[in-house]
Amino acid sequence: MLGFSHYFKEGLRSILDIYNVEYILFLLSLLTVFTIKDWKRVIILLVFFILGYTVTLSTDTFARIKYDADLLAFLLPLTIFFTSFTNIFKKKDNFRYHGNMRKNYVLALIFGAIHGFSYSKYLSGVSIGKVRIWDQFIAFNLGVDLGQVIVSLVFLVIAFLFINIFGVNRRDWVMVISSGIAGVALTLMFELKFW
């Protein structure tokens, strides 16, 4: 029987796996407007995202919700595109405005719930038999959480280097990163041909 460490590593792998780029891109699209000075807001953002996906991950894992897998596959890049696209139109002086932060938290919660279905699909794919609460579900979820913390820290350090050390304008940073992520998300959406 596979134990806690196996499912913890699977959760970590689900985030850090380069072939599951949707998870990393969504996280980066959420983080693009933040700098390392905003670490408290980043923690709150991650908590909202974790709450969102934990609810749907647990509900779908243990209650098996019926949903259209093709629609879900389309919604993942759509959440990435929407988040990045809204970043492009934020004014520089509004990055730290509390109202914008609240919108980011709500987006993280709602879009986290959408991503939770995908995590559930991944967990059921690596589980043997029925998912057990402790050594599978909780271990997997903690692995996902750690993966998101790692991606967030690396990205914020890179942002710090570019903005504070190399002198890249913060607005330019947000525009370039958000535009690139939005472009990749659009490509993923058109490849799915959901409509």
Side-chain angles (χ1 to χ4, degrees):
M1 225 3 110
L2 299 172
F4 187 95
S5 64
H6 171 78
Y7 289 98
F8 180 83
K9 289 174 188 171
E10 287 295 337
L12 187 60
R13 185 178 296 126
S14 74
I15 296 297
L16 300 181
D17 184 357
I18 196 69
Y19 297 107
N20 288 330
V21 71
E22 291 96 348
Y23 305 138
I24 294 173
L25 287 177
F26 179 69
L27 197 54
L28 297 185
S29 67
L30 284 174
L31 295 171
T32 300
V33 297
F34 295 99
T35 65
I36 209 140
K37 294 176 187 175
D38 302 316
W39 64 271
K40 290 179 184 175
R41 289 181 172 152
V42 170
I43 290 172
I44 295 169
L45 184 80
L46 289 176
V47 166
F48 274 85
F49 185 59
I50 289 167
L51 284 173
Y53 75 70
T54 299
V55 168
T56 52
L57 172 61
S58 58
T59 305
D60 189 46
T61 299
F62 298 110
R64 290 289 169 212
I65 298 171
K66 301 271 187 202
Y67 58 86
D68 185 343
D70 291 335
L71 175 61
L72 176 66
F74 178 76
L75 287 177
L76 292 175
L78 181 64
T79 62
I80 298 165
F81 176 77
F82 181 81
T83 306
S84 295
F85 189 73
T86 57
N87 289 344
I88 294 168
F89 294 100
K90 287 181 182 168
K91 295 180 182 174
K92 182 180 178 182
D93 55 355
N94 282 343
F95 288 151
R96 287 197 173 96
Y97 173 62
H98 192 64
N100 282 339
M101 292 304 108
R102 278 195 300 243
K103 289 175 192 168
N104 279 6
Y105 302 151
V106 171
L107 285 177
L109 183 69
I110 294 168
F111 292 169
I114 293 169
H115 284 251
F117 286 112
S118 184
Y119 295 150
S120 172
K121 185 178 174 186
Y122 189 95
L123 175 59
S124 63
V126 297
S127 296
I128 299 170
K130 191 174 178 182
V131 175
R132 295 183 307 277
I133 187 80
W134 175 249
D135 55 353
Q136 291 182 351
F137 176 76
I138 292 177
F140 182 83
N141 208 17
L142 289 174
V144 169
D145 296 346
L146 178 61
Q148 291 177 354
V149 168
I150 291 169
V151 169
S152 300
L153 283 174
V154 169
F155 182 75
L156 289 174
V157 167
I158 292 170
F160 174 80
L161 290 173
F162 275 90
I163 295 168
N164 296 90
I165 305 298
F166 301 130
V168 172
N169 180 284
R170 186 171 176 193
R171 178 74 189 137
D172 294 342
W173 170 260
V174 171
M175 289 288 289
V176 168
I177 299 297
S178 296
S179 298
I181 292 172
V184 173
L186 268 178
T187 302
L188 292 171
M189 288 162 58
F190 282 113
E191 283 178 358
L192 292 167
K193 298 177 184 168
F194 172 71
W195 50 83

